């Protein structure tokens, strides 16, 4: 379907032309028909000679209704600029063309109407000169009289050629349907209409309302007044919503694919129009069918930061316009560069940001986004309109390769520094490292671990982490003789404290493999189990706990957990009468 919005000065015959082409009345309100002037958006459609369908969004031409005009033009891919032969180029002709140029509309027609009242030649020439300086520079021009019918076949043929030139809209993308009408129908409930520019709608599909995130389900679809099960782009569509009160959705809202867009109230943009420094502090942003007040902060010569009065579902590369409603002036068209810009807190941050924006062209670029941000979730990139390729480093995280290498080096430095500051700890906790590297997810720290680093029990260390720290080595030297001559006489707590072996020091010694810790905080040389087996093997088999205790020259406090360890290791076997025997290896 070809969807075309009209544009032009009030009373230049836009609605009359649509009526002549379609046989339908685009003016919906009785007040419009009584006054002979379009006030709000009108809709009509027809079949072209080729069999293609064209749907018109007829917009008002009076300067008081420019916001209504922009709501109709915003989501539409093509425009029909209408100028009357007997009146020529007029102020609203210029403002409507400025709006179309600001939105980047490049497909359309120039139609000079009322050719029965004046020679259309001079107006065709002058209007063509105006269009030549805009995005509509290459459109066809046709003269017509809707009253006599002269030129209507030429307009239809030009529309056919226009339909053939339009690029194919993507059907596999997320839906963003800007609402231009909302009403109720008896027996159906709430119905909204809009121009579907991408994606597909199906009966039963679940959508969400932009801003509120409220889920809704498609109860029914109408295309060109006929019910249907599915609608693809580009098309005028009416959507019957289940469970949505009429007062909770209106023009300027949007229906979205769930999780397909992230609403934003802060964007960085490039402006083509007035110099950024000359803009007033407050303007109105028009995109889709939405009109939202914004606060303007110039950053560079042609770059701005906009604070929106309410969040909108915007994408990198979106085209919109800024308008000063008080002066009836289009300040310019803009391209969205960033939908999640960084804060500007430090002195000089705005100038630095302007330098970054100067390198951006508004085309979604995965490598560029990752280079600027370092890392992002794939889902957040998709919601910003950035196509995602490649594999995440972990979970849903995509990372710039150079940033990832720098993080790896910083991780190694952080682990080494933690070891110097805390020599008795078995490596740096992952959460401490996450905070040190300013990473948003612990999983990123874990994914960064490479040789010689290793991750054990939520801590990152090196092979040297298990070496005996110097303070522990000094304390063990004081115990060396007694641990050697009487290896099964575990030092008591006061003796351990006297030589400087506290809880952390003991943990370090155990991790280094120089001490063995048994149940009850019994500490023995690390080779005590092997020595014990050799001693116990000399006893008559089986042997009792008492015999083992005496042979090992130790206490019950040590003998019980030591024999239980040997049982678990399979070095000894406990018999039903509580005696034990050494298992032949």
């Amino acid at each position: 379907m070809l969807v075309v919005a009209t544009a032009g000065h009030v009373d230049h015959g836009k609605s009359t032309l649509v009526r002549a082409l379609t046989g339908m009345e685009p003016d919906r309100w009785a007040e419009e028909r009584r006054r002979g002037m379009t006030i709000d958006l009108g809709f009509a459609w027809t079949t072209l000679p080729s069999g293609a369908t064209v749907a018109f969004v007829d917009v008002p031409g009076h300067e008081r209704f420019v916001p209504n005009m922009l709501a109709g033009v915003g989501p539409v891919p093509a425009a029909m600029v209408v100028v009357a032969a007997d009146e020529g180029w007029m102020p609203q002709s210029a403002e409507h063309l400025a709006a179309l140029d600001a939105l980047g509309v490049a497909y359309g027609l120039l139609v000079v109407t009322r050719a029965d009242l004046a020679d259309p030649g001079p107006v065709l020439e002058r209007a063509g000169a105006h269009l030549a300086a805009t995005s509509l520079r290459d459109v066809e021009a046709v003269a017509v009289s809707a009253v006599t019918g002269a030129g209507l076949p030429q307009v239809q043929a030009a529309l056919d050629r226009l339909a053939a030139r339009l690029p194919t809209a993507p059907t596999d993308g997320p839906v963003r349907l800007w609402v231009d009408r909302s009403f109720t129908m008896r027996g159906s409930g709430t119905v909204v209409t809009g121009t579907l520019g991408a994606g597909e709608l199906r009966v039963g599909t679940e959508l969400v309302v932009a801003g509120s995130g409220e889920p809704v389900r498609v109860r029914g679809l109408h295309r060109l007044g006929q019910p249907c099960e599915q609608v693809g782009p580009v098309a005028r569509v009416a959507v019957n919503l289940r469970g949505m009160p009429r007062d909770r959705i209106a023009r300027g809202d949007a229906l979205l694919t769930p999780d397909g867009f992230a609403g934003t109230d802060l964007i960085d943009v490039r402006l083509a129009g007035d110099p950024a420094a000359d803009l007033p502090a407050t303007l109105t942003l028009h995109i889709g069918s939405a009109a939202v007040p914004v606060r303007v902060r110039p950053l560079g010569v042609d770059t701005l930061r906009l604070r929106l009065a309410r969040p909108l579902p915007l994408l990198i590369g979106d085209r919109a316009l800024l308008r000063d409603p008080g002066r009836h002036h289009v300040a310019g068209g803009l391209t969205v560069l960033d939908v999640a810009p960084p804060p500007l807190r430090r002195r000089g941050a705005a100038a630095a940001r302007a330098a970054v924006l100067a390198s951006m062209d508004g085309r979604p670029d995965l490598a560029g986004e990752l280079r600027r941000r370092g890392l992002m979730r794939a889902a957040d990139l998709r919601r910003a309109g950035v196509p995602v390729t490649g594999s995440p480093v972990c979970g849903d995280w995509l990372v710039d390769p150079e940033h990832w290498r720098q993080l790896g080096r910083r991780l190694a430095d952080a682990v080494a520094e933690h070891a110097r500051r805390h020599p008795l700890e078995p490596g740096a906790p992952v959460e401490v490292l996450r905070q040190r590297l300013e990473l948003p997810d612990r999983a990123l720290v874990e994914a960064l671990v490479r040789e010689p680093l290793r991750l054990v029990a939520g801590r990152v260390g090196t092979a040297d982490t298990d070496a005996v720290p110097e303070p522990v080595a000094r304390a063990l030297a004081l115990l060396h003789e007694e641990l050697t001559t009487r290896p099964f006489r575990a030092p008591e707590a006061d003796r351990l404290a006297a030589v400087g072996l506290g809880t952390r020091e003991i943990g370090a010694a155990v991790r280094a493999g120089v001490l063995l810790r048994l149940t009850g905080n019994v500490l023995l040389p690390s080779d005590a189990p092997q020595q014990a087996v050799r001693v116990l093997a000399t006893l008559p088999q089986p042997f009792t706990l008492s015999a083992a205790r005496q042979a090992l020259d130790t206490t019950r406090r040590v003998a019980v957990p030591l024999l239980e360890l040997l049982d678990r290791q399979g070095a000894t076997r406990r018999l039903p009468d509580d005696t034990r025997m050494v298992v032949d290896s």
Side-chain angles (χ1 to χ4, degrees), residues 552-568:
L552 296 172
D553 188 22
T554 188
T555 64
R556 182 180 177 87
R557 180 177 78 91
V558 176
V560 171
L562 178 57
L563 289 172
E564 289 175 348
L565 173 64
L566 295 177
D567 291 343
R568 292 193 300 273

Side-chain angles (χ1 to χ4, degrees), residues 29-109:
W29 298 1
E31 175 71 6
E32 292 177 306
R33 293 191 288 272
R34 184 183 67 79
R35 296 171 61 181
M37 182 176 71
T38 300
I39 297 172
D40 202 359
L41 303 178
F43 309 96
W45 56 87
T46 190
T47 301
L48 296 172
S50 68
T53 300
V54 58
F56 293 99
V57 179
D58 189 33
V59 307
H62 197 284
E63 66 177 4
R64 287 183 298 167
F65 307 124
V66 168
N68 291 351
M69 173 266 180
L70 293 173
V73 168
V76 173
M80 186 165 66
V81 180
V82 176
V83 185
D86 58 331
E87 291 194 6
W89 195 256
M90 299 290 282
Q92 291 314 113
S93 306
E95 185 171 9
H96 283 204
L97 178 60
L100 294 170
D101 185 39
L103 292 170
V105 178
Y107 296 90
L109 293 177

